[in-house]
Structures are given as C-alpha cells and as structure tokens.
Amino acid sequence: MAQEASAGARARGGAREDSWGSVAPEAARRLLVAAVDAFAERGFHATTTRDIAGRAGMSPAALYIHFRTKEELLFQISRVGHERSVRLLTEAAAGPGGHADRLAAAVRTFVRWHAEHHTTARVVQYELSALGEEHYAEIVGLRRRSEDVMRTLLADGAAAGEFDVADARGTALAVLSLCVDVARWFTPGGRRTPDEIGAFYAELALRMVGVRR
Amino acid sequence: MAQEASAGARARGGAREDSWGSVAPEAARRLLVAAVDAFAERGFHATTTRDIAGRAGMSPAALYIHFRTKEELLFQISRVGHERSVRLLTEAAAGPGGHADRLAAAVRTFVRWHAEHHTTARVVQYELSALGEEHYAEIVGLRRRSEDVMRTLLADGAAAGEFDVADARGTALAVLSLCVDVARWFTPGGRRTPDEIGAFYAELALRMVGVRR
C-alpha cells in the first residue's frame, strides 16, 4: 500500500501533505489523513470507520477496499510515521562531521519531525496500546531501531573521547524522550518554529552528553 | 470535594492509593480511580459515566451525586494531579542548598511523581483538549505555575553564576518536558525504579543548565 516518497518530497519535508506523500493510491492517503484527524480529536476507541470514511468523503464500503479494520488504519499511521522518523534519524546520525555534529543533526531532524507532524506523532504515541499484538510488536521493533541508532552514536562518541556518557542507553532514551515530547506541547504559530526548537534542543542534547560549545 | 492529604500520606507518596488520598468522601475517590482507569484504557470520548460507575461498583445515579458530568471527573483528575505535582515541584525548588541542589531535588521529585502516577499523568496530558473552556483555563494556570517555578530557579541560578543558561524559559520548558515524558514510557518493573530515573534525570538536568559534578 505504501511506497517510498521521492527524494524531492523528503527534502521538502514539513508540509502536512508530505506526511503521507509516500502512500498510494490517493484514496488510501485521504483515509489515513482523515483517520489521523479523527483519532486525534476523539481517540481511537470513540472513532468509527464510518466517521473516518465520512471525513474522507467516502462510503464505509470504499474504506474497506483499502483497510480491513480501524486497527489496520492505526497500524499504517504508526508504521509510516515511525519509518519516516527512524529513517530521518538514521540518515542524520550517519551524516558528515564528528560525533557532536552528528548528534546535533540527529536531534535537530528528529525534533523538527515531531513538531511538524505533532498530530500524527500524538496519535502514534497515545494510541499504541490499541494496536493488535503482531502490529504492536512490529512498531516496537521500529522504536528499538531509533534507540539503537542513538545509543550507538552516544557510545561511539564516548569511546572516541568526544562525549562524557556513563550510561549510553539511559542517556539515549532521555534524549529521544525529550525530542518525542515536543509533539505533546508544540503549537503551530507559537514562540519558536520547528527549526528553532530543533537547533535549541541540539545544544541541550550536546550538554546532556557532556559537550559544551 | 477534595481536601489536602495529611503530611503522612504525602510523605509515603508513590502508592496508587495516595494519588487520591486527598479526595473525600470515599465514594468520590473510588469514582476518580475508576475514571482514570477507564480513560486510560479507552480514552475520554469512548468512556461513558455508566462504565465508570460500573468499575466503581456503583450505579450511574450514585455517580451523579458526586460529579455532574464525565468532564467534571476529568477536570478533578487533572486538577488534583496538577496541584499535587506543582506542590511537590515548588517545595523541592524552595528547599535547602544552592541552586544546583534545588534543581536536582525538583527534577528528582517531579520525575518520581510522573513515574509513580504514570497512568494518571497520561490521562491528564492526553485528554487535555476534552476539558471545557473554564476548566481548561484553570489547568493551564496550574501548568504556568510549574513553568514559573522552574524558570525562576534557572534564572536565579544563572544570575548567581551557578548556571550557564541563556534562555531560562526555553530551558525550563525542556527540563519539565523531559520529566513529564517519563509518564509516557515508564513501565513498572522495568530496568530502573522511579527513584533511579529521578536521580539520573537530575544529573541530566544539571548538565542542561551547564553544571557538571
């Protein structure tokens, strides 16, 4: 159902449409956008497939062509959201520069994603327990990849003498947690843009690993 | 409906019962505990007052003696939860020692609360938008008090030369955000206890304000 977004769509980032730019066909994309809005507004359990189809301007029968159940919609939202954010994090962590540069880039990118896609991120985080067992396990696997990327970066930076980190796992979880929580409090049009929050949080993350610059 | 917990109940902390120890009468307390569980499991909008009364072993009519609406239950959960966490934060921030000691104590206490009361904290954070306008404003006022306490502590510490903080407001929000997000990922019986997470996060918060010890 989903295919990779073009490099161009990835590079543009940020705009709402791009969240689901990789999803085809168009009807499935519209249903996912409608489901995110419905889940964000009323919660997973209070939302019906009829609500979602209605928001997408479609009939319930048309919805079932693309998604077998409401849970399948939630899973695809979670999967696409996690895959996107894991990929952005991984690319930034493997980018140019020393460990500090790469940590800063990873945090900037991860924060920006959570600010720009705060509605999706909230649904993904708050409705996790509504996923079926297999789907839940698949999402947990994607989350572990984010944790692994960050932990490895911190452990490598410490081994290279760039970072002062005694507990790479705990510190990695804390840095990711700080980034994820941006989705909870971020309001568009607030005091700072996603870019500004990303830059500020990159400096805070560097301090957390013992780098001051 | 609610009255202050005894100093003894506060000092014990942690245990589930104590979350609502300040609420009287007993029937109202049972309804709040039931409402937290129902909201956490199914979300606010998918929960009925009948569900809540049933969980508390009471009739819907008995519920209405204590709470006029489902929203009133959510508001009392939010109010009691916020008042408790704001008070703990304020007391710790005003405690003995220098600014670094007080920041460490404030973070330890705030983190511990969010770990121990993670179910309540999740309901409070994720269902905020379901509150009516006046109730929402009252909760926002309580949140501002937490932010003020933390911002003042960081600004005072910077003025005293103990902290290296350029943006006290932004840093305060980030430190509180890190603490609040513990409620999202904390699992009882996990790798670390609430106390251990609190101690670890206190060191991370000190690093965020430019203190290494």
Side-chain angles (χ1 to χ4, degrees):
Chain A
M1 190 211 69
Q3 52 189 43
E4 288 302 296
S6 69
R10 284 209 302 278
R12 280 196 305 279
R16 161 116 188 224
E17 293 300 306
D18 288 351
S19 235
W20 311 107
S22 65
V23 176
E26 158 72 13
R29 198 188 66 72
R30 260 163 54 210
L31 286 163
L32 285 182
V33 170
V36 167
D37 287 346
F39 293 156
E41 209 174 293
R42 304 269 306 162
F44 176 81
H45 294 289
T47 299
T48 64
T49 48
R50 181 173 290 274
D51 296 334
I52 296 167
R55 279 174 188 259
M58 291 163 63
S59 70
L63 182 149
Y64 290 114
I65 295 173
H66 302 284
F67 301 96
R68 282 163 301 169
T69 62
K70 184 174 69 161
E71 191 269 351
E72 173 75 19
L73 274 154
L74 178 62
F75 171 61
Q76 294 300 343
I77 291 165
S78 287
R79 194 185 57 76
V80 173
H82 274 93
E83 283 179 352
R84 184 68 54 90
S85 64
V86 170
R87 192 179 55 220
L88 290 170
L89 186 71
T90 307
E91 286 172 0
H99 295 92
D101 299 309
R102 287 185 278 130
L103 173 59
V107 167
R108 264 199 314 271
T109 306
F110 205 61
V111 162
R112 210 160 44 205
W113 192 88
H114 282 85
E116 285 165 348
H117 304 289
H118 58 278
T119 309
T120 301
R122 284 178 201 169
V123 167
V124 164
Q125 299 296 345
Y126 303 171
E127 302 289 5
L128 206 59
S129 64
L131 289 174
E133 208 174 318
E134 278 182 40
H135 285 163
Y136 180 78
E138 195 171 330
I139 297 302
V140 167
L142 287 167
R143 292 163 89 91
R144 290 241 169 84
R145 278 175 48 198
S146 296
E147 292 166 19
D148 287 347
V149 166
M150 185 57 76
R151 196 189 54 237
T152 303
L153 180 55
L154 298 197
D156 290 353
E162 270 192 78
F163 299 161
D164 171 20
V165 173
D167 177 357
R169 181 175 170 191
T171 308
L173 288 176
V175 169
L176 290 174
S177 168
L178 183 66
C179 298
V180 166
D181 197 50
V182 170
R184 179 181 58 83
W185 59 259
F186 179 77
T187 314
R191 196 166 67 102
R192 290 176 298 177
T193 65
D195 269 340
E196 287 165 353
I197 300 167
F200 182 55
Y201 272 45
E203 293 305 314
L204 290 177
L206 286 173
R207 287 183 169 207
M208 289 164 83
V209 302
V211 175
R212 293 273 289 281
R213 50 180 200 182
Chain B
M1 191 211 68
Q3 53 189 44
E4 289 302 297
S6 70
R10 283 208 302 278
R12 280 196 306 278
R16 160 121 190 221
E17 293 300 305
D18 289 351
S19 235
W20 310 107
S22 64
V23 176
E26 158 72 13
R29 197 188 67 73
R30 260 163 55 210
L31 286 163
L32 285 182
V33 170
V36 167
D37 287 345
F39 293 156
E41 208 174 294
R42 304 269 308 161
F44 176 80
H45 294 289
T47 299
T48 64
T49 48
R50 180 173 292 273
D51 297 334
I52 296 166
R55 280 174 187 259
M58 292 164 59
S59 69
L63 182 149
Y64 291 114
I65 296 172
H66 303 283
F67 301 97
R68 280 163 302 169
T69 62
K70 185 173 68 159
E71 190 269 351
E72 172 75 19
L73 273 154
L74 178 63
F75 170 61
Q76 293 300 342
I77 290 166
S78 288
R79 192 184 59 74
V80 173
H82 274 92
E83 282 180 351
R84 184 68 54 93
S85 64
V86 169
R87 191 181 55 220
L88 290 169
L89 186 72
T90 307
E91 286 172 359
H99 295 91
D101 299 310
R102 287 185 277 131
L103 174 59
V107 167
R108 265 199 314 272
T109 306
F110 205 60
V111 162
R112 210 160 45 206
W113 192 88
H114 282 85
E116 285 164 349
H117 304 288
H118 58 278
T119 309
T120 301
R122 284 178 201 169
V123 167
V124 163
Q125 298 297 345
Y126 304 171
E127 302 289 5
L128 206 61
S129 64
L131 289 174
E133 206 173 319
E134 277 181 41
H135 286 163
Y136 180 79
E138 194 171 330
I139 298 301
V140 167
L142 287 167
R143 293 162 90 91
R144 291 241 169 84
R145 277 175 47 198
S146 295
E147 293 166 19
D148 287 347
V149 165
M150 186 57 76
R151 195 190 55 236
T152 303
L153 180 54
L154 298 196
D156 290 352
E162 269 193 79
F163 299 161
D164 171 19
V165 173
D167 177 357
R169 182 176 167 188
T171 308
L173 289 175
V175 169
L176 291 174
S177 169
L178 183 66
C179 299
V180 166
D181 198 50
V182 169
R184 179 180 60 82
W185 59 260
F186 179 77
T187 314
R191 196 167 66 101
R192 291 175 298 178
T193 65
D195 268 339
E196 287 164 353
I197 301 167
F200 182 54
Y201 272 45
E203 292 306 314
L204 290 176
L206 286 172
R207 287 183 169 207
M208 290 165 82
V209 302
V211 175
R212 295 273 289 283
R213 51 179 198 182

